[in-house]
Amino acid sequence: QENDVELAKYHLSTLDFDYTFKVANSQRTFLDALNEFTPDIILSDFKLDGYDGVRAIEHCNEFLPDVPVIIVTGTLGEELAVEIMKKGAYDFVLKNKLSNLPLSVVKTLREANEKREKEKNSEQLRILFSISVDMVAIAGTDGYFKTINEAFEKTLGYTKDELLSKPFVDFIHQDDVAATYEEMKKLESGATTISFTNRYLCKDGTYKWLEWNARPNKSLIFAIARDVTEWKKSQEEILKLNSELENKVKERTKELSDANRLLKDEVLERVMISRKLQETHTEIQDSINYAKRIQSALLSRYDQSLKNFSNHFAYWKPKSIVSGDIYWCQKVGDYIFIAGIDCTGHGVPGAMMSMMASSILDKIIITSGIYEPKEILHHLDKAIIDVLNQESNQVNDGMDMSLFRIDTKTSQIVFSGANHSLYHYNTNDGFLVYKGSRLGIGGYYSQNRLIKEFIQQEINYQPGDYIYFTSDGYY
């Protein structure tokens, strides 16, 4: 009905985003609308002339299965509510409570987007799982495989059901069982990655050496195995040949002293190379761990600035030992500047970018005295391009960022973002999203674009409000 449509438009106008509202009042106009464009969300009255919400959901599932549907109705019994939710409706809103519609729309859009992302990720994982030449498995701490890929069947000769129906220890060589149990204990105690080898019984009665890399996650263990039987055989053959060679050398020492001396030199050289490789590996690992200490120390300095707030938290979990995602905080007079920095890359490259960004931000604010967030982002963008010489090469490294300035005297926040948003919850307006500019910081393509202009927004806050910012790795 027309008055219901106007009420819906009125309540939806409170949302902080633009929308186009198209009205269909019959089955024919509804199907025509589905053919004309793809909506982000569909609001359907339960009863239409010769049509109803259940049938509308069925048509949506047939033509636009990814578009969420909210049923708006005058009355809805429990059985009917269950039916429409089973048919695929995301939510329903009663007409006498249309004030709940904006919250339902925001929740539904978020859930639909999360569903699409999960389906996309699940499909990608399924494809990766199926085509991997390595053996990929998920096992439980109860000692059973929960799922395996086809590589297990090709390598060991069993069917999937045969491998899932028995404890995996039943397939392990008895001489390797005790060592395998020891590795399982490490995983159960929370060890992040375990690498070990053991022998697995094949269906033809032979054994194959498997090299495992495993990682625990709650009550499950994610593992990748590789057949290293031929490598093991070659190692045994090398050891055997070395032993025979040493015996021959001993027998012919007097006759072949020169040749024996050359052979010993070669063996010594191999040992020295092996030791040098091990030392190099240790040095690299120590350097990365030391970089982690430096990055953690830097964050602890920012944590001291965050103590200006009686209620705050920072959740930081690197994908690698060090991280390209970092938070930053600086207090200048009555201003408190806070930033969430999401650099390209992970590990050491990302960490280098994050340290560079932190240093440049300090210089812009403390040394240059620039306090407007949009100007700070503009100067940071130019500094990154200059430092990496991106106008002369194709180094496309950069970062996304949320940056805001808090004025503790006026209770005002000034926010500017580069592909990042700021989230604000208050008791009057609920959950608000302030979107940043759709521009990144740095990148060699920047010289071919118009001069970047970052927008900034002023936000008033009061005691009891919550402010959140995050990198894309979290939300």
Side-chain angles (χ1 to χ4, degrees):
Q1 295 180 8
E2 186 175 348
N3 59 334
D4 293 335
V5 172
E6 293 305 317
L7 280 172
K9 288 183 177 180
Y10 168 74
H11 287 291
L12 290 176
S13 66
T14 62
L15 292 174
D16 189 26
F17 54 74
D18 297 329
Y19 63 88
T20 300
F21 208 106
K22 187 172 182 64
V23 179
N25 52 21
S26 67
Q27 177 176 336
R28 182 70 268 157
T29 56
F30 178 64
L31 294 179
D32 288 342
L34 294 185
N35 288 324
E36 291 173 6
F37 76 110
T38 301
D40 293 309
I41 192 167
I42 294 173
L43 309 179
S44 175
D45 200 334
F46 184 72
K47 292 182 179 180
L48 299 171
D49 293 337
Y51 201 42
D52 61 38
V54 173
R55 187 63 182 139
I57 294 172
E58 291 174 348
H59 281 136
C60 290
N61 291 338
E62 181 179 356
F63 298 110
L64 296 173
D66 292 333
V67 178
V69 179
I70 297 176
I71 295 295
V72 181
T73 182
T75 58
L76 195 64
E78 182 177 347
E79 293 183 1
L80 194 54
V82 171
E83 180 183 357
I84 67 169
M85 296 303 281
K86 285 183 177 179
K87 287 289 185 179
Y90 274 67
D91 201 358
F92 63 88
V93 178
L94 297 178
K95 292 181 180 179
N96 62 354
K97 294 184 178 179
L98 273 179
S99 60
N100 294 333
L101 184 59
L103 182 61
S104 177
V105 167
V106 172
K107 178 176 74 72
T108 297
L109 288 174
R110 184 180 67 247
E111 291 175 354
N113 185 59
E114 290 173 351
K115 179 182 178 182
R116 286 191 289 269
E117 287 298 317
K118 287 180 180 178
E119 290 174 351
K120 177 182 176 182
N121 292 337
S122 297
E123 178 62 15
Q124 291 174 342
L125 289 175
R126 186 194 66 76
I127 294 173
L128 179 62
F129 196 77
S130 62
I131 67 174
S132 174
V133 295
D134 289 332
M135 290 173 279
V136 183
I138 300 176
T141 53
D142 58 358
Y144 284 82
F145 287 123
K146 303 304 179 184
T147 185
I148 56 175
N149 67 345
E150 294 179 2
F152 268 87
E153 302 176 52
K154 294 178 182 178
T155 303
L156 301 179
Y158 298 102
T159 66
K160 183 176 182 179
D161 290 338
E162 288 173 330
L163 288 166
L164 298 182
S165 62
K166 295 181 180 180
F168 52 73
V169 71
D170 290 356
F171 300 94
I172 299 175
H173 194 288
Q174 61 179 3
D175 293 343
D176 299 335
V177 170
T180 301
Y181 274 130
E182 286 299 317
E183 301 299 333
M184 288 292 294
K185 289 179 181 177
K186 295 177 184 177
L187 289 167
E188 291 175 3
S189 66
T192 55
T193 302
I194 298 294
S195 179
F196 62 95
T197 57
N198 57 17
R199 285 164 285 184
Y200 258 65
L201 178 65
C202 299
K203 195 165 186 175
D204 62 6
T206 62
Y207 282 90
K208 287 190 175 181
W209 281 98
L210 302 183
E211 182 180 56
W212 293 88
N213 280 279
R215 192 182 195 95
N217 186 354
K218 298 180 181 179
S219 62
L220 296 177
I221 297 171
F222 295 81
I224 298 176
R226 179 169 295 177
D227 181 2
V228 293
T229 305
E230 294 303 318
W231 181 81
K232 280 283 188 179
K233 288 181 180 178
S234 66
Q235 290 296 104
E236 292 174 358
E237 187 65 24
I238 290 173
L239 291 175
K240 180 180 178 182
L241 290 174
N242 284 342
S243 176
E244 293 175 354
L245 182 60
E246 287 177 2
N247 290 333
K248 289 181 180 181
V249 169
K250 290 179 181 179
E251 293 173 359
R252 301 174 62 186
T253 299
K254 293 180 181 180
E255 299 176 3
L256 304 172
S257 58
D258 293 340
N260 183 50
R261 186 165 53 254
L262 292 174
L263 180 60
K264 287 183 178 180
D265 290 342
E266 182 180 350
V267 172
L268 179 60
E269 182 180 0
R270 291 183 179 182
V271 172
M272 295 300 294
I273 291 173
S274 176
R275 289 178 180 174
K276 186 63 178 178
L277 288 174
Q278 182 61 42
E279 291 172 359
T280 301
H281 173 76
T282 301
E283 289 174 0
I284 293 172
Q285 193 66 30
D286 289 345
S287 296
I288 295 175
N289 289 332
Y290 190 73
K292 178 184 178 182
R293 290 174 55 191
I294 295 174
Q295 193 171 53
S296 298
L298 186 64
L299 289 178
S300 67
R301 179 164 70 88
Y302 301 149
D303 289 337
Q304 292 297 318
S305 297
L306 287 174
K307 288 183 179 179
N308 287 282
F309 305 99
S310 59
N311 185 12
H312 72 277
F313 73 92
Y315 179 76
W316 181 69
K317 189 172 184 180
K319 179 179 180 181
S320 304
I321 296 176
V322 289
S323 177
D325 292 3
I326 193 173
Y327 54 92
W328 171 91
C329 187
Q330 189 66 255
K331 187 175 188 303
V332 180
D334 295 325
Y335 290 154
I336 300 175
F337 294 89
I338 302 177
I341 306 169
D342 183 351
C343 299
T344 55
H346 301 282
V348 173
M352 291 177 65
M353 288 293 295
S354 69
M355 298 290 282
M356 181 170 58
S358 301
S359 176
I360 295 173
L361 281 174
D362 287 338
K363 182 178 179 181
I364 292 172
I365 293 174
I366 297 174
T367 305
S368 301
I370 298 172
Y371 294 159
E372 292 300 319
K374 66 178 182 179
E375 294 298 325
I376 295 172
L377 292 186
H378 174 76
H379 282 76
L380 176 62
D381 176 62
K382 185 177 184 303
I384 293 295
I385 294 172
D386 290 343
V387 170
L388 298 181
N389 195 23
Q390 291 178 330
E391 292 186 354
S392 302
N393 56 46
Q394 292 189 347
V395 176
N396 197 23
D397 293 310
M399 64 203 68
D400 296 336
M401 180 180 298
S402 53
L403 173 68
F404 55 100
R405 183 193 74 203
I406 300 176
D407 189 332
T408 55
K409 279 192 172 182
T410 63
S411 296
Q412 187 181 64
I413 294 171
V414 179
F415 163 71
S416 187
N419 282 326
H420 270 193
S421 298
L422 187 70
Y423 306 94
H424 178 202
Y425 179 81
N426 64 55
T427 54
N428 294 328
D429 301 319
F431 191 73
L432 304 174
V433 179
Y434 296 92
K435 295 182 179 181
S437 303
R438 299 189 67 178
L439 299 168
I441 303 295
Y444 74 84
Y445 54 81
S446 296
Q447 71 256 24
N448 296 324
R449 300 177 59 181
L450 297 175
I451 298 175
K452 295 180 181 178
E453 291 187 3
F454 296 94
I455 62 171
Q456 69 181 25
Q457 304 173 62
E458 296 181 353
I459 307 164
N460 293 320
Y461 70 90
Q462 58 186 358
D465 285 8
Y466 293 84
I467 298 294
Y468 303 94
F469 62 96
T470 174
S471 67
D472 60 2
Y474 184 81
Y475 58 69

